[in-house]
Amino acid sequence: MAAAEGTKQLDVVVIGAGQAGLSAAFHLRRSGLEPDRDFVVLDHAPRPGGAWQFRWPSLTYGKVHGMHALPGMELTGADPARPSSEVIGAYFDAYEQTFDLRIHRPVDVTAVREGDGGREGEAGRLLVETSEGTYATRALINATGTWDRPFWPRYPGQETFRGRQLHTAGYPGPEEFAGERVLVVGGGASGTQHLMEIADVAAETFWVTRSEPVWRDGPFGEMEGRAAVALVEERVRQGLPPKSVVSVTGLPLNDAIRAARARGILDRLPMFDRITPTGVAWDDGRPGDVAVDVILWATGFRAAIDHLTPLRLREPGGGIRVEGTRAVRDERVHLVGYGPSASTIGANRAGRAAVSDIRRLLRGETATAATATVTAQVATTSEGAPVATSDTAPVAVTVAAPAAASV
C-alpha cells in the first residue's frame, strides 16, 4: 500500500510513552535523531505517567517494589506516602521536558500496515494509522504494554451475577468495599495487595486462585532474576503469549504477607466452577456455595498489540516471536516492554537495544544478534523484589510536592 498524500515520513515511530517508550525515545535522541523530524512518540494516554497514572490511590510510592529509574535521570525525594500515580506521573513529565521528547498525546494508533517500497536501497516503509493522521516509517518501536487489555476470564453463569464485577484495571481502592462480602480472584501480587487492603473494611473476604500460590522466602538475587527472565524469554522465542516475570518468581514472603496469612486473609480456596446470581459455587460441593456482593478479578493483562494485526506477526502459538526486541517476522518492528523486558529495568535496556538495532537498519546494515538477549542484572530491595541502579550517568529530579504532578 502506497503512502497517501500528506502522510509524514519519518525514520522511527514509537508507540507508547511508558517506561519502555520513554527509554527508547531517550536513546533515539541520544543517537542523534530529532523528535518530530526523524522520529515521533505517540501516546494515547491523556497525560504523562504511562500505566502508572491509572493506578489506584492506595498504591502509594512506598508500596511500589522495584521501580527502576529511566535512563539518564534519577527520581529522588519522593514522599513514600504519596500515590504512585502522582509521583511517577510527575517524574515522567519532568523526564519528557528535560530531554525534549515532544510526546504526541492523546493519540490513538488504530493499525500498522505494510507501506510502499521506500527510496532506492531502503526497506519498505510501514504505515502507522493514527487519530492525528498517518505516518510512514522505516522502523517501529512498539511500547504499548498491557494496561489496555485487562484479562477477564469467563465462567458459566457470569452474566447472572446480581452483584458488582470489576477488574484490577478499575480498582478504586479499598474504601468502596466497606461492609461488603468481597471475592478476589487471582494469585498474583495485585490480588494479594487488594485482599490485604479490603480485609480491613469489608464484612468478609474470600480468595480464589487456579493453583496453589507459590511463596518465595529468602533473598532474590541476580542468579534468581536471570533464571526468571530466561523462563519468560523462552516462551517468547517459541512464539507463545508472554507471561510476566513475576508469574515465575512466586510471591515474596514479607512481613505484611506473613501478618495477613496469620489473620487468615490469605487462606486460598480452589477455583470455583460457576457463578450464581448471589456468588460462586463448586460442582463437587466443596467448599460449598459462597455468597458475595463483589467479584474482583485480579487476573492480569495481555499484551496490547492488536494494532499490529495487519502485519501478521503472530505465530501459531498466539504470540509474536522475537529475538531480543526484534520481531522475527519483520526486522523493522521492535517490541519493548514485551515478555522478558516487561519490567522497569528490562524496559530500559530493551529501549537501548532496540535503538541500537534500528540504527543499523537505518544505515542499511544486516540485522545482527545485538539484541538477541535482553536480560536484567538484578539486585534486591528489602521486599525481595527485583530492582537495579540506572545504567547511564544520571541527572536527578526531585519529586516531592503534590503540585509537581500533572495528574
Side-chain angles (χ1 to χ4, degrees), residues 104-136:
H104 290 217
R105 65 166 59 89
V107 177
D108 293 323
V109 175
T110 54
V112 181
R113 307 181 187 278
E114 189 63 58
D116 61 28
R119 296 188 294 270
E120 184 177 355
E122 284 185 4
R125 288 181 179 266
L126 298 167
L127 296 182
V128 183
E129 300 173 358
T130 84
S131 57
E132 68 173 14
T134 300
Y135 292 91

PDB file of all heavy atoms in Angstrom, residues 104-136:
ATOM      1  N   HIS A 104       3.478  13.138  21.535  1.00  0.00           N
ATOM      2  CA  HIS A 104       2.179  13.485  20.956  1.00  0.00           C
ATOM      3  C   HIS A 104       1.097  12.740  21.741  1.00  0.00           C
ATOM      4  O   HIS A 104       1.080  11.508  21.779  1.00  0.00           O
ATOM      5  CB  HIS A 104       2.115  13.067  19.490  1.00  0.00           C
ATOM      6  CG  HIS A 104       2.981  13.872  18.583  1.00  0.00           C
ATOM      7  ND1 HIS A 104       2.602  14.209  17.307  1.00  0.00           N
ATOM      8  CD2 HIS A 104       4.225  14.409  18.757  1.00  0.00           C
ATOM      9  CE1 HIS A 104       3.569  14.918  16.724  1.00  0.00           C
ATOM     10  NE2 HIS A 104       4.564  15.048  17.593  1.00  0.00           N
ATOM     11  N   ARG A 105       0.199  13.469  22.362  1.00  0.00           N
ATOM     12  CA  ARG A 105      -0.896  12.842  23.111  1.00  0.00           C
ATOM     13  C   ARG A 105      -2.077  13.794  23.235  1.00  0.00           C
ATOM     14  O   ARG A 105      -1.884  15.012  23.197  1.00  0.00           O
ATOM     15  CB  ARG A 105      -0.432  12.387  24.502  1.00  0.00           C
ATOM     16  CG  ARG A 105      -0.016  13.489  25.468  1.00  0.00           C
ATOM     17  CD  ARG A 105       0.118  13.021  26.905  1.00  0.00           C
ATOM     18  NE  ARG A 105       1.062  11.966  27.143  1.00  0.00           N
ATOM     19  CZ  ARG A 105       2.352  12.137  27.422  1.00  0.00           C
ATOM     20  NH1 ARG A 105       2.851  13.371  27.480  1.00  0.00           N
ATOM     21  NH2 ARG A 105       3.143  11.120  27.650  1.00  0.00           N
ATOM     22  N   PRO A 106      -3.281  13.255  23.401  1.00  0.00           N
ATOM     23  CA  PRO A 106      -3.603  11.830  23.261  1.00  0.00           C
ATOM     24  C   PRO A 106      -3.761  11.456  21.789  1.00  0.00           C
ATOM     25  O   PRO A 106      -4.468  12.129  21.038  1.00  0.00           O
ATOM     26  CB  PRO A 106      -4.933  11.698  24.005  1.00  0.00           C
ATOM     27  CG  PRO A 106      -5.579  13.047  23.858  1.00  0.00           C
ATOM     28  CD  PRO A 106      -4.457  14.056  23.807  1.00  0.00           C
ATOM     29  N   VAL A 107      -3.094  10.401  21.384  1.00  0.00           N
ATOM     30  CA  VAL A 107      -3.145   9.914  20.004  1.00  0.00           C
ATOM     31  C   VAL A 107      -3.426   8.410  20.035  1.00  0.00           C
ATOM     32  O   VAL A 107      -2.698   7.659  20.688  1.00  0.00           O
ATOM     33  CB  VAL A 107      -1.823  10.176  19.252  1.00  0.00           C
ATOM     34  CG1 VAL A 107      -1.882   9.583  17.844  1.00  0.00           C
ATOM     35  CG2 VAL A 107      -1.525  11.663  19.191  1.00  0.00           C
ATOM     36  N   ASP A 108      -4.451   7.988  19.337  1.00  0.00           N
ATOM     37  CA  ASP A 108      -4.774   6.564  19.238  1.00  0.00           C
ATOM     38  C   ASP A 108      -4.187   5.996  17.952  1.00  0.00           C
ATOM     39  O   ASP A 108      -4.385   6.564  16.872  1.00  0.00           O
ATOM     40  CB  ASP A 108      -6.289   6.352  19.237  1.00  0.00           C
ATOM     41  CG  ASP A 108      -6.927   6.712  20.565  1.00  0.00           C
ATOM     42  OD1 ASP A 108      -6.297   6.453  21.607  1.00  0.00           O
ATOM     43  OD2 ASP A 108      -8.038   7.268  20.563  1.00  0.00           O
ATOM     44  N   VAL A 109      -3.482   4.889  18.066  1.00  0.00           N
ATOM     45  CA  VAL A 109      -2.976   4.171  16.894  1.00  0.00           C
ATOM     46  C   VAL A 109      -3.966   3.054  16.576  1.00  0.00           C
ATOM     47  O   VAL A 109      -4.211   2.182  17.411  1.00  0.00           O
ATOM     48  CB  VAL A 109      -1.572   3.601  17.146  1.00  0.00           C
ATOM     49  CG1 VAL A 109      -1.117   2.751  15.959  1.00  0.00           C
ATOM     50  CG2 VAL A 109      -0.579   4.723  17.407  1.00  0.00           C
ATOM     51  N   THR A 110      -4.528   3.092  15.376  1.00  0.00           N
ATOM     52  CA  THR A 110      -5.556   2.119  15.010  1.00  0.00           C
ATOM     53  C   THR A 110      -5.005   0.915  14.274  1.00  0.00           C
ATOM     54  O   THR A 110      -5.526  -0.201  14.412  1.00  0.00           O
ATOM     55  CB  THR A 110      -6.644   2.787  14.158  1.00  0.00           C
ATOM     56  OG1 THR A 110      -6.028   3.440  13.035  1.00  0.00           O
ATOM     57  CG2 THR A 110      -7.406   3.831  14.979  1.00  0.00           C
ATOM     58  N   ALA A 111      -3.947   1.107  13.472  1.00  0.00           N
ATOM     59  CA  ALA A 111      -3.394  -0.020  12.720  1.00  0.00           C
ATOM     60  C   ALA A 111      -2.005   0.326  12.208  1.00  0.00           C
ATOM     61  O   ALA A 111      -1.679   1.488  11.970  1.00  0.00           O
ATOM     62  CB  ALA A 111      -4.306  -0.384  11.549  1.00  0.00           C
ATOM     63  N   VAL A 112      -1.186  -0.716  12.053  1.00  0.00           N
ATOM     64  CA  VAL A 112       0.113  -0.594  11.382  1.00  0.00           C
ATOM     65  C   VAL A 112       0.088  -1.550  10.197  1.00  0.00           C
ATOM     66  O   VAL A 112      -0.159  -2.750  10.365  1.00  0.00           O
ATOM     67  CB  VAL A 112       1.283  -0.937  12.320  1.00  0.00           C
ATOM     68  CG1 VAL A 112       2.616  -0.767  11.587  1.00  0.00           C
ATOM     69  CG2 VAL A 112       1.252  -0.071  13.576  1.00  0.00           C
ATOM     70  N   ARG A 113       0.335  -1.018   8.995  1.00  0.00           N
ATOM     71  CA  ARG A 113       0.235  -1.810   7.770  1.00  0.00           C
ATOM     72  C   ARG A 113       1.512  -1.700   6.947  1.00  0.00           C
ATOM     73  O   ARG A 113       2.333  -0.815   7.156  1.00  0.00           O
ATOM     74  CB  ARG A 113      -0.942  -1.326   6.913  1.00  0.00           C
ATOM     75  CG  ARG A 113      -2.265  -1.260   7.632  1.00  0.00           C
ATOM     76  CD  ARG A 113      -3.386  -0.806   6.706  1.00  0.00           C
ATOM     77  NE  ARG A 113      -4.614  -0.585   7.456  1.00  0.00           N
ATOM     78  CZ  ARG A 113      -5.457  -1.548   7.807  1.00  0.00           C
ATOM     79  NH1 ARG A 113      -5.181  -2.800   7.449  1.00  0.00           N
ATOM     80  NH2 ARG A 113      -6.554  -1.285   8.496  1.00  0.00           N
ATOM     81  N   GLU A 114       1.631  -2.602   5.981  1.00  0.00           N
ATOM     82  CA  GLU A 114       2.726  -2.538   5.023  1.00  0.00           C
ATOM     83  C   GLU A 114       2.533  -1.324   4.130  1.00  0.00           C
ATOM     84  O   GLU A 114       1.424  -1.047   3.661  1.00  0.00           O
ATOM     85  CB  GLU A 114       2.761  -3.809   4.179  1.00  0.00           C
ATOM     86  CG  GLU A 114       3.993  -3.937   3.301  1.00  0.00           C
ATOM     87  CD  GLU A 114       5.269  -4.035   4.118  1.00  0.00           C
ATOM     88  OE1 GLU A 114       5.382  -4.959   4.942  1.00  0.00           O
ATOM     89  OE2 GLU A 114       6.148  -3.161   3.939  1.00  0.00           O
ATOM     90  N   GLY A 115       3.618  -0.570   3.911  1.00  0.00           N
ATOM     91  CA  GLY A 115       3.532   0.608   3.066  1.00  0.00           C
ATOM     92  C   GLY A 115       4.232   0.396   1.745  1.00  0.00           C
ATOM     93  O   GLY A 115       4.295  -0.729   1.225  1.00  0.00           O
ATOM     94  N   ASP A 116       4.814   1.473   1.189  1.00  0.00           N
ATOM     95  CA  ASP A 116       5.469   1.377  -0.110  1.00  0.00           C
ATOM     96  C   ASP A 116       6.904   0.890   0.040  1.00  0.00           C
ATOM     97  O   ASP A 116       7.374   0.585   1.134  1.00  0.00           O
ATOM     98  CB  ASP A 116       5.417   2.725  -0.844  1.00  0.00           C
ATOM     99  CG  ASP A 116       6.122   3.841  -0.081  1.00  0.00           C
ATOM    100  OD1 ASP A 116       7.068   3.528   0.676  1.00  0.00           O
ATOM    101  OD2 ASP A 116       5.737   5.012  -0.242  1.00  0.00           O
ATOM    102  N   GLY A 117       7.619   0.855  -1.072  1.00  0.00           N
ATOM    103  CA  GLY A 117       8.956   0.288  -1.081  1.00  0.00           C
ATOM    104  C   GLY A 117      10.041   1.219  -0.618  1.00  0.00           C
ATOM    105  O   GLY A 117      11.199   0.828  -0.523  1.00  0.00           O
ATOM    106  N   GLY A 118       9.710   2.502  -0.353  1.00  0.00           N
ATOM    107  CA  GLY A 118      10.713   3.440   0.108  1.00  0.00           C
ATOM    108  C   GLY A 118      11.662   3.864  -1.001  1.00  0.00           C
ATOM    109  O   GLY A 118      11.489   3.529  -2.171  1.00  0.00           O
ATOM    110  N   ARG A 119      12.685   4.618  -0.651  1.00  0.00           N
ATOM    111  CA  ARG A 119      13.676   5.053  -1.617  1.00  0.00           C
ATOM    112  C   ARG A 119      14.601   3.897  -1.985  1.00  0.00           C
ATOM    113  O   ARG A 119      14.642   2.881  -1.304  1.00  0.00           O
ATOM    114  CB  ARG A 119      14.485   6.222  -1.041  1.00  0.00           C
ATOM    115  CG  ARG A 119      13.649   7.473  -0.786  1.00  0.00           C
ATOM    116  CD  ARG A 119      14.528   8.663  -0.409  1.00  0.00           C
ATOM    117  NE  ARG A 119      15.176   8.452   0.869  1.00  0.00           N
ATOM    118  CZ  ARG A 119      14.636   8.830   2.038  1.00  0.00           C
ATOM    119  NH1 ARG A 119      13.454   9.401   2.064  1.00  0.00           N
ATOM    120  NH2 ARG A 119      15.296   8.627   3.161  1.00  0.00           N
ATOM    121  N   GLU A 120      15.363   4.072  -3.062  1.00  0.00           N
ATOM    122  CA  GLU A 120      16.259   3.017  -3.520  1.00  0.00           C
ATOM    123  C   GLU A 120      17.230   2.636  -2.413  1.00  0.00           C
ATOM    124  O   GLU A 120      17.847   3.481  -1.769  1.00  0.00           O
ATOM    125  CB  GLU A 120      17.034   3.503  -4.747  1.00  0.00           C
ATOM    126  CG  GLU A 120      17.919   2.416  -5.350  1.00  0.00           C
ATOM    127  CD  GLU A 120      18.624   2.885  -6.604  1.00  0.00           C
ATOM    128  OE1 GLU A 120      18.339   4.025  -7.051  1.00  0.00           O
ATOM    129  OE2 GLU A 120      19.439   2.122  -7.126  1.00  0.00           O
ATOM    130  N   GLY A 121      17.348   1.338  -2.202  1.00  0.00           N
ATOM    131  CA  GLY A 121      18.253   0.851  -1.167  1.00  0.00           C
ATOM    132  C   GLY A 121      17.623   0.750   0.205  1.00  0.00           C
ATOM    133  O   GLY A 121      18.240   0.270   1.138  1.00  0.00           O
ATOM    134  N   GLU A 122      16.385   1.234   0.359  1.00  0.00           N
ATOM    135  CA  GLU A 122      15.698   1.175   1.650  1.00  0.00           C
ATOM    136  C   GLU A 122      14.735  -0.001   1.684  1.00  0.00           C
ATOM    137  O   GLU A 122      14.191  -0.406   0.665  1.00  0.00           O
ATOM    138  CB  GLU A 122      14.877   2.445   1.898  1.00  0.00           C
ATOM    139  CG  GLU A 122      15.660   3.653   2.294  1.00  0.00           C
ATOM    140  CD  GLU A 122      14.726   4.800   2.638  1.00  0.00           C
ATOM    141  OE1 GLU A 122      13.496   4.625   2.629  1.00  0.00           O
ATOM    142  OE2 GLU A 122      15.255   5.875   2.919  1.00  0.00           O
ATOM    143  N   ALA A 123      14.504  -0.509   2.889  1.00  0.00           N
ATOM    144  CA  ALA A 123      13.407  -1.444   3.081  1.00  0.00           C
ATOM    145  C   ALA A 123      12.105  -0.670   2.966  1.00  0.00           C
ATOM    146  O   ALA A 123      12.070   0.549   3.134  1.00  0.00           O
ATOM    147  CB  ALA A 123      13.527  -2.097   4.459  1.00  0.00           C
ATOM    148  N   GLY A 124      11.029  -1.363   2.641  1.00  0.00           N
ATOM    149  CA  GLY A 124       9.734  -0.708   2.543  1.00  0.00           C
ATOM    150  C   GLY A 124       9.329  -0.064   3.852  1.00  0.00           C
ATOM    151  O   GLY A 124       9.771  -0.462   4.928  1.00  0.00           O
ATOM    152  N   ARG A 125       8.495   0.933   3.752  1.00  0.00           N
ATOM    153  CA  ARG A 125       8.018   1.637   4.950  1.00  0.00           C
ATOM    154  C   ARG A 125       6.760   0.981   5.504  1.00  0.00           C
ATOM    155  O   ARG A 125       6.019   0.305   4.783  1.00  0.00           O
ATOM    156  CB  ARG A 125       7.755   3.105   4.623  1.00  0.00           C
ATOM    157  CG  ARG A 125       9.033   3.906   4.402  1.00  0.00           C
ATOM    158  CD  ARG A 125       8.732   5.357   4.096  1.00  0.00           C
ATOM    159  NE  ARG A 125       9.972   6.116   3.912  1.00  0.00           N
ATOM    160  CZ  ARG A 125      10.593   6.800   4.856  1.00  0.00           C
ATOM    161  NH1 ARG A 125      10.082   6.839   6.078  1.00  0.00           N
ATOM    162  NH2 ARG A 125      11.709   7.457   4.610  1.00  0.00           N
ATOM    163  N   LEU A 126       6.537   1.227   6.772  1.00  0.00           N
ATOM    164  CA  LEU A 126       5.314   0.826   7.452  1.00  0.00           C
ATOM    165  C   LEU A 126       4.418   2.043   7.570  1.00  0.00           C
ATOM    166  O   LEU A 126       4.887   3.159   7.818  1.00  0.00           O
ATOM    167  CB  LEU A 126       5.632   0.280   8.845  1.00  0.00           C
ATOM    168  CG  LEU A 126       6.512  -0.974   8.896  1.00  0.00           C
ATOM    169  CD1 LEU A 126       6.995  -1.209  10.323  1.00  0.00           C
ATOM    170  CD2 LEU A 126       5.744  -2.181   8.377  1.00  0.00           C
ATOM    171  N   LEU A 127       3.120   1.832   7.405  1.00  0.00           N
ATOM    172  CA  LEU A 127       2.152   2.913   7.571  1.00  0.00           C
ATOM    173  C   LEU A 127       1.506   2.780   8.948  1.00  0.00           C
ATOM    174  O   LEU A 127       0.909   1.746   9.267  1.00  0.00           O
ATOM    175  CB  LEU A 127       1.077   2.853   6.490  1.00  0.00           C
ATOM    176  CG  LEU A 127       1.555   3.072   5.045  1.00  0.00           C
ATOM    177  CD1 LEU A 127       0.365   3.024   4.082  1.00  0.00           C
ATOM    178  CD2 LEU A 127       2.298   4.392   4.909  1.00  0.00           C
ATOM    179  N   VAL A 128       1.646   3.812   9.755  1.00  0.00           N
ATOM    180  CA  VAL A 128       1.073   3.838  11.102  1.00  0.00           C
ATOM    181  C   VAL A 128      -0.146   4.758  11.057  1.00  0.00           C
ATOM    182  O   VAL A 128      -0.007   5.974  10.930  1.00  0.00           O
ATOM    183  CB  VAL A 128       2.098   4.330  12.141  1.00  0.00           C
ATOM    184  CG1 VAL A 128       1.507   4.280  13.540  1.00  0.00           C
ATOM    185  CG2 VAL A 128       3.386   3.494  12.060  1.00  0.00           C
ATOM    186  N   GLU A 129      -1.333   4.176  11.145  1.00  0.00           N
ATOM    187  CA  GLU A 129      -2.581   4.931  11.054  1.00  0.00           C
ATOM    188  C   GLU A 129      -3.010   5.368  12.448  1.00  0.00           C
ATOM    189  O   GLU A 129      -3.149   4.535  13.353  1.00  0.00           O
ATOM    190  CB  GLU A 129      -3.661   4.078  10.400  1.00  0.00           C
ATOM    191  CG  GLU A 129      -3.304   3.636   8.978  1.00  0.00           C
ATOM    192  CD  GLU A 129      -4.289   2.655   8.386  1.00  0.00           C
ATOM    193  OE1 GLU A 129      -5.253   2.275   9.097  1.00  0.00           O
ATOM    194  OE2 GLU A 129      -4.102   2.255   7.223  1.00  0.00           O
ATOM    195  N   THR A 130      -3.203   6.668  12.622  1.00  0.00           N
ATOM    196  CA  THR A 130      -3.487   7.212  13.952  1.00  0.00           C
ATOM    197  C   THR A 130      -4.605   8.237  13.885  1.00  0.00           C
ATOM    198  O   THR A 130      -5.019   8.664  12.808  1.00  0.00           O
ATOM    199  CB  THR A 130      -2.239   7.888  14.550  1.00  0.00           C
ATOM    200  OG1 THR A 130      -2.138   9.233  14.056  1.00  0.00           O
ATOM    201  CG2 THR A 130      -0.965   7.147  14.202  1.00  0.00           C
ATOM    202  N   SER A 131      -5.041   8.672  15.051  1.00  0.00           N
ATOM    203  CA  SER A 131      -6.093   9.679  15.144  1.00  0.00           C
ATOM    204  C   SER A 131      -5.609  11.062  14.742  1.00  0.00           C
ATOM    205  O   SER A 131      -6.419  11.980  14.581  1.00  0.00           O
ATOM    206  CB  SER A 131      -6.645   9.729  16.578  1.00  0.00           C
ATOM    207  OG  SER A 131      -5.611   9.993  17.514  1.00  0.00           O
ATOM    208  N   GLU A 132      -4.285  11.243  14.551  1.00  0.00           N
ATOM    209  CA  GLU A 132      -3.781  12.530  14.083  1.00  0.00           C
ATOM    210  C   GLU A 132      -3.198  12.423  12.665  1.00  0.00           C
ATOM    211  O   GLU A 132      -2.479  13.302  12.209  1.00  0.00           O
ATOM    212  CB  GLU A 132      -2.739  13.105  15.044  1.00  0.00           C
ATOM    213  CG  GLU A 132      -1.430  12.363  15.127  1.00  0.00           C
ATOM    214  CD  GLU A 132      -0.387  13.105  15.977  1.00  0.00           C
ATOM    215  OE1 GLU A 132      -0.765  14.043  16.707  1.00  0.00           O
ATOM    216  OE2 GLU A 132       0.799  12.734  15.884  1.00  0.00           O
ATOM    217  N   GLY A 133      -3.506  11.343  11.970  1.00  0.00           N
ATOM    218  CA  GLY A 133      -3.027  11.164  10.612  1.00  0.00           C
ATOM    219  C   GLY A 133      -2.167   9.917  10.485  1.00  0.00           C
ATOM    220  O   GLY A 133      -2.040   9.124  11.419  1.00  0.00           O
ATOM    221  N   THR A 134      -1.580   9.747   9.306  1.00  0.00           N
ATOM    222  CA  THR A 134      -0.788   8.557   9.011  1.00  0.00           C
ATOM    223  C   THR A 134       0.694   8.906   8.916  1.00  0.00           C
ATOM    224  O   THR A 134       1.070   9.917   8.328  1.00  0.00           O
ATOM    225  CB  THR A 134      -1.248   7.921   7.687  1.00  0.00           C
ATOM    226  OG1 THR A 134      -2.628   7.550   7.802  1.00  0.00           O
ATOM    227  CG2 THR A 134      -0.433   6.677   7.356  1.00  0.00           C
ATOM    228  N   TYR A 135       1.513   8.049   9.511  1.00  0.00           N
ATOM    229  CA  TYR A 135       2.965   8.185   9.433  1.00  0.00           C
ATOM    230  C   TYR A 135       3.516   7.023   8.608  1.00  0.00           C
ATOM    231  O   TYR A 135       3.079   5.875   8.772  1.00  0.00           O
ATOM    232  CB  TYR A 135       3.600   8.154  10.823  1.00  0.00           C
ATOM    233  CG  TYR A 135       3.278   9.350  11.676  1.00  0.00           C
ATOM    234  CD1 TYR A 135       2.178   9.356  12.537  1.00  0.00           C
ATOM    235  CD2 TYR A 135       4.073  10.491  11.631  1.00  0.00           C
ATOM    236  CE1 TYR A 135       1.885  10.464  13.317  1.00  0.00           C
ATOM    237  CE2 TYR A 135       3.790  11.601  12.415  1.00  0.00           C
ATOM    238  CZ  TYR A 135       2.691  11.576  13.251  1.00  0.00           C
ATOM    239  OH  TYR A 135       2.400  12.667  14.028  1.00  0.00           O
ATOM    240  N   ALA A 136       4.480   7.321   7.733  1.00  0.00           N
ATOM    241  CA  ALA A 136       5.215   6.291   7.001  1.00  0.00           C
ATOM    242  C   ALA A 136       6.601   6.205   7.617  1.00  0.00           C
ATOM    243  O   ALA A 136       7.363   7.174   7.605  1.00  0.00           O
ATOM    244  CB  ALA A 136       5.299   6.643   5.528  1.00  0.00           C
TER     245      ALA A 136
END
